[in-house]
């Protein structure tokens, strides 16, 4: 919807944003080494996460914010490896409808 306000055009993205959010896949529950955890689609993550974590490629930082510190400690105790984190990241991207290596920012651009 477009409206004119004092000579300038304003494009409302509310309807389009809602459609995109409604089209996102459901959260996915994963299990690895006896630890179960549920991750929302990547594009559903709050914008402020970038500021809290600093870099969305910081998988541990993202997981701590999304799952909580206690769940990440459970992953540590289960002996997760860097390879496991890579697998989680790849599957999370795939199940979020993103191409491997695609960042949330580049997906929107």
């Amino acid at each position: 919807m477009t409206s004119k306000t004092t000579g300038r055009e304003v494009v409302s993205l509310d309807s389009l944003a809602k459609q995109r959010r409604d089209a996102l896949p459901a959260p996915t529950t994963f299990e690895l080494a006896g630890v179960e955890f549920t991750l929302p689609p990547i594009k559903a993550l709050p914008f402020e996460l970038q500021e809290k974590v600093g870099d969305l490629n910081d998988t541990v930082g993202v997981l701590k914010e999304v799952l909580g510190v206690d769940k990440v400690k459970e992953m540590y105790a289960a002996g997760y490896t860097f390879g496991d984190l890579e697998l989680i990241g790849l599957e999370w991207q795939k199940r979020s409808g993103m191409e491997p290596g695609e960042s949330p920012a580049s997906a929107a651009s």
Side-chain angles (χ1 to χ4, degrees):
M1 179 177 175
T2 304
S3 64
K4 291 229 178 221
T5 307
T6 54
R8 64 186 179 95
E9 183 179 28
V10 177
V11 178
S12 174
L13 298 175
D14 291 326
S15 176
L16 291 173
K18 182 181 181 326
Q19 287 174 17
R20 291 185 99 175
R21 290 175 183 164
D22 290 348
L24 289 173
T28 302
T29 300
F30 298 94
E31 186 275 326
L32 177 64
V35 179
E36 190 174 289
F37 52 97
T38 302
L39 295 170
I42 293 170
K43 291 181 185 179
L45 294 174
F47 181 53
E48 67 185 355
L49 187 67
Q50 175 96 26
E51 186 176 329
K52 285 181 178 179
V53 176
D55 181 358
L56 294 180
N57 291 320
D58 174 4
T59 306
V60 174
V62 170
L63 290 176
K64 281 181 179 177
E65 283 296 321
V66 174
L67 299 175
V69 174
D70 289 341
K71 183 57 73 172
V72 172
K73 285 181 181 178
E74 192 179 338
M75 293 169 159
Y76 291 161
Y80 280 28
T81 66
F82 283 114
D84 295 335
L85 289 180
E86 182 180 42
L87 177 62
I88 291 166
L90 289 171
E91 283 300 310
W92 190 14
Q93 284 180 319
K94 184 169 104 179
R95 298 195 179 267
S96 293
M98 298 173 64
E99 295 295 321
E102 180 181 10
S103 73
S106 71
S109 55

